[in-house]
Amino acid sequence: MRVNRQLGIRLFWSTCMLLLGLTAAQAQELADVQNRGIAGNSSADLLNRVDADVLSYQPDLVVILVGTNDLLNTKKMVSVADYYRNMDQLTDRLLQHDVQVVLVSPPTVDTVYLFERHDASRFPQPPMQLLALCRDTLQVICREKELPFVDLFSHLQQVGIPCHDQDDIILNEKNSGRRDGVHLTPKGNRLLAWLIYEQLKESFTDLAGLKIVCFGDSITFGVFLDGEGTTEGDTYPAVLKQFIQDGI
């Protein structure tokens, strides 16, 4: 993994802490998390706006969660091969600017609700199989480039989510009044933020002072949630920021 810049950041912030008399907990409050999610975005959309919405901010670390629209949105659907090419180019673009990258697999979906909005005959394979291929694609990229990977898809599968109109992780009619099946509840966003936070702690010794961008689609944006599009309220970037600040 590329760590030279990370080591430099840690030394810089350690010096600042000494000069300013900050405790480790106080330094964590300096972490800067940005929400750069846009509803409906695909990997191609992220590639098109990475310069303006991410690199212009000069972040240290970017967390990318995208793929649901690529593989399950019949208005934007692309092949798994095209998805791989887009993600390969996107990660290369960030790494070329010495930005650390963490990839996150999209969550599972409730196909009962998904097929109310999208014609099932348009899918080349069952949606969950497509999402599994999406996860596999991201794993390949992470192995090739030595990037941290957060496997949200497998985690949800292992605990039996979604469970139609029963679970409290993916939006459904029972938990939110929404026949959704794709986006996350506040509890789901907290789980996602926790998985990312645990991976960040494992991959990066010190998160204090890092400029972090959460880059993605409506799941990052936090559609239907308090604080959507921000790092306030129930969005996963908001919860991630709080985890870093609290240093739990």
Side-chain angles (χ1 to χ4, degrees):
M1 190 178 297
R2 306 180 185 194
V3 296
N4 290 342
R5 191 171 188 231
Q6 176 69 14
L7 289 172
I9 291 167
R10 290 204 300 270
L11 289 173
F12 171 77
W13 279 104
S14 296
T15 302
C16 288
M17 288 167 63
L18 290 172
L19 292 175
L20 297 175
L22 295 176
T23 66
Q26 289 170 329
Q28 284 174 321
E29 295 181 359
L30 299 176
D32 185 357
V33 180
Q34 299 290 317
N35 186 335
R36 292 292 184 268
I38 293 181
N41 265 199
S42 65
S43 58
D45 294 317
L46 265 57
L47 190 57
N48 288 335
R49 67 183 178 92
V50 64
D51 287 3
D53 288 359
V54 178
L55 290 174
S56 64
Y57 179 64
Q58 297 183 316
D60 303 299
L61 171 66
V62 176
V63 180
I64 303 176
L65 198 176
V66 71
T68 301
N69 288 305
D70 291 81
L71 300 176
L72 304 186
N73 185 335
T74 50
K75 295 180 180 179
K76 289 200 165 186
M77 192 177 288
V78 298
S79 68
V80 174
D82 285 340
Y83 175 70
Y84 171 84
R85 279 191 289 270
N86 290 339
M87 295 302 294
D88 186 50
Q89 292 178 40
L90 179 61
T91 50
D92 276 351
R93 181 71 177 153
L94 292 165
L95 293 171
Q96 287 164 3
H97 284 77
D98 203 21
V99 177
Q100 300 288 338
V101 180
V102 175
L103 297 184
V104 184
S105 61
T108 54
V109 297
D110 186 335
T111 56
V112 174
Y113 291 135
L114 179 70
F115 290 152
E116 290 181 355
R117 300 189 300 276
H118 298 279
D119 182 357
S121 68
R122 297 278 306 280
F123 290 78
Q125 293 174 254
M128 291 290 277
Q129 289 185 19
L130 291 170
L131 287 172
L133 290 172
C134 177
R135 177 217 38 214
D136 295 346
T137 297
L138 296 176
Q139 285 179 322
V140 168
I141 292 173
C142 288
R143 283 197 299 268
E144 291 175 343
K145 302 180 184 183
E146 298 183 320
L147 306 177
F149 179 58
V150 178
D151 193 353
L152 174 62
F153 176 81
S154 293
H155 178 85
L156 294 179
Q157 264 199 324
Q158 289 166 5
V159 295
I161 294 173
C163 182
H164 182 65
D165 275 348
Q166 296 299 314
D167 72 80
D168 55 2
I169 298 298
I170 295 178
L171 290 174
N172 58 52
E173 190 167 34
K174 185 175 181 179
N175 65 37
S176 64
R178 295 183 178 278
R179 301 180 67 82
D180 186 289
V182 172
H183 302 98
L184 301 178
T185 64
K187 184 175 180 179
N189 275 272
R190 189 170 183 83
L191 171 64
L192 170 57
W194 176 255
L195 292 174
I196 293 171
Y197 179 62
E198 287 294 294
Q199 181 62 66
L200 294 184
K201 286 196 300 180
E202 180 179 330
S203 300
F204 306 98
T205 304
D206 191 353
L207 302 178
L210 291 184
K211 295 170 70 174
I212 301 172
V213 170
C214 299
F215 195 37
D217 54 25
S218 54
I219 295 173
T220 299
F221 181 80
V223 67
F224 306 132
L225 300 176
D226 289 342
E228 60 181 12
T230 73
T231 53
E232 304 295 332
D234 295 322
T235 68
Y236 103 69
V239 182
L240 177 62
K241 181 178 179 180
Q242 192 62 57
F243 283 158
I244 295 172
Q245 289 178 342
D246 291 345
I248 59 176

